[in-house]
Amino acid sequence: MSSDFEAYEQDFGTLTAEITNKIGRIPKLSGEEKTQLVLNVDKQLEEVRELLEQMDLEVREIPIQSRAMYNSRLKSYKQEMEKLEKDFKRSRIAYSDEVRNELLGDDASSSENQRAHLLDNTEKLERSSRRLEAGYQIAVETVVSFSGVARFDVLPHSSVGVKEVGRGLTVFSTSRAQRFPCHGLPHAP
């Protein structure tokens, strides 16, 4: 009986070596060739499952004193089978151009378009920031020119306001506040 088990072991070794070789080739293929190889590996994995079942039946027939050694060998073969199945599953999708294109869309042209769009938006943001700074400077200069006015809270249609505090004016907006002496001009922010 142990000779049958050893024959199954040899078959197991041969089949798993072939499967491992084919699993390594799957990610590099595409189209019909890949499909055929996947089907072939699937069929061989089924053969290995059947072989493991036969080995399990053989172990049950072995006398109890020798059974532990064969059980441990069978357990390691089952673990190897699980690893092969995981590798096979990964190989079907790993490095696959089809899957990659499905997930990412067009490869090079899409990333170039995204980069150009990002640069355009960055330039628009910088121009808007410069315009806001220029508008803020104009508001400060306007406030300083009206420094003779005793008090007003908010410039019409603006988020910039002025308060008279002691002998100086405080210019405030939603983002910053700056205090200016009534008799001097403000320093650039």
Side-chain angles (χ1 to χ4, degrees), residues 94-156:
Y95 310 112
S96 172
D97 291 336
E98 296 165 6
V99 173
R100 182 177 183 275
N101 287 338
E102 278 183 39
L103 293 174
L104 301 176
D106 296 330
D107 47 356
S109 63
S110 177
S111 64
E112 287 300 319
N113 289 341
Q114 290 173 351
R115 180 184 167 119
H117 190 66
L118 182 62
L119 289 173
D120 288 344
N121 287 340
T122 302
E123 289 173 11
K124 287 178 186 176
L125 181 62
E126 288 174 356
R127 283 193 303 268
S128 297
S129 295
R130 285 193 296 269
R131 278 192 233 124
L132 284 172
E133 281 295 321
Y136 179 76
Q137 286 297 328
I138 291 170
V140 169
E141 291 169 6
T142 304
V143 168
V144 170
S145 67
F146 287 113
S147 63
V149 177
R151 174 185 169 93
F152 62 92
D153 289 328
V154 176
L155 296 173

Side-chain angles (χ1 to χ4, degrees), residues 147-185:
S147 63
V149 177
R151 174 185 169 93
F152 62 92
D153 289 328
V154 176
L155 296 173
H157 307 294
S158 172
S159 63
V160 177
V162 181
K163 286 186 180 178
E164 184 176 349
V165 181
R167 299 193 55 133
L169 295 174
T170 300
V171 178
F172 62 92
S173 71
T174 55
S175 62
R176 41 175 125 173
Q178 192 170 5
R179 184 167 165 73
F180 303 107
C182 284
H183 53 75
L185 293 175

